[in-house]
Structures are given as structure tokens and as C-alpha cells.
Amino acid sequence: MTATAFSTTDAPAPAHFFSQGVRRGNLLQVSGQGPMDPATNQYIAAGDVKEQTRRTLENVKAILEAGGASVADVLMFRVYLTTRDDFGPMNEVYGAFIAENVPEGAALPCRTTVFVDLPHEVMLVEIDALAVLD
């Protein structure tokens, strides 16, 4: 089975040696995204995990859509935070985003949240996603 990379200008271009997204069969993986504005290629909202979470999720959504998927197709989100103190605010924004993008009554995506150092000091959050298409 062949893997196919895909991309969109509606999310930041990868800064290193990886694809924004790859589809193999009915699986679609989105690389970790951060709080970068795709129009300016600048990180946004230093110190504001809520704004950073929203921008990051919008970047993930744009890549999902470029690959023919939607947030409702996501099986698993992985969220990486730099501090436990940001869990509550991130979770609030995440919950609102899921409510906006997953139909009522549909199975909610799984999620793992871990606390790590991230590649850029301004980044408070990074999120990736695995979607399954029917």
C-alpha cells in the first residue's frame, strides 16, 4: 500500500523534513502542529495557551481537510503541553472546538495529553491527529 503526502497553504509549511499529512489506505496522519499563523509564518499569542490551542487546532483541521477528512474522522488527538498549569485552559478550548466540529451523538475522538519541552520557546502546545476514513 502506497503512502501519499499532502499539504495545504491553510496551515504552516513544515520547517523540517516531514510532511504536513500522509495518507495510507484509509488512515490519515497529521504531523504535530503548533500555534503558527499560516499567513505570516509567525508564532502567535506568546503566553496565551487558549489562543495558541485554537490556532493549533485550526491548523490541524486545515490539514485534515486537505487530506479529505474532517475533525469528525479523527480517531486520536495527541496534545503536548509545556506545563500542567495550561491543561485546564487548553481543555476548555479543545472541548469547544470538538463541540463545533463533531456532530452531536457521534463518537468523540480519543486523546492523550503529555507534558514536554517543545521545539520553540514560544510554543505552549502542539497537537497531532490520526484520522480514519470510511
Side-chain angles (χ1 to χ4, degrees):
M1 193 174 306
T2 303
T4 304
F6 57 91
S7 64
T8 178
T9 57
D10 292 331
H16 303 288
F17 304 102
F18 58 87
S19 300
Q20 282 181 326
V22 173
R23 182 171 178 174
R24 187 172 193 157
N26 67 338
L27 296 177
L28 189 148
Q29 177 67 53
V30 174
S31 289
Q33 297 298 302
M36 184 178 275
D37 182 330
T40 65
N41 285 321
Q42 299 294 314
Y43 288 100
I44 64 149
D48 185 344
V49 74
K50 285 184 170 186
E51 283 297 314
Q52 287 197 7
T53 299
R54 186 65 188 197
R55 175 74 263 162
T56 299
L57 286 166
E58 291 296 338
N59 291 342
V60 170
K61 179 180 176 181
I63 298 167
L64 287 165
E65 290 175 350
S70 71
V71 174
D73 295 314
V74 173
L75 183 66
M76 176 71 160
F77 282 106
R78 283 172 293 266
V79 178
Y80 306 89
L81 292 171
T82 58
T83 177
R84 279 184 176 81
D85 293 340
D86 286 341
F87 181 82
M90 174 282 299
N91 198 48
E92 180 183 331
V93 173
Y94 175 90
F97 180 83
I98 294 300
E100 293 166 16
N101 289 282
V102 175
E104 190 172 326
L108 298 176
C110 295
R111 187 181 88 192
T112 296
T113 304
V114 295
F115 302 97
V116 299
D117 284 331
L118 292 172
H120 298 280
E121 190 172 321
V122 71
M123 291 176 71
L124 301 174
V125 61
E126 183 174 3
I127 300 172
D128 69 35
L130 176 65
V132 178
L133 302 173
D134 292 330

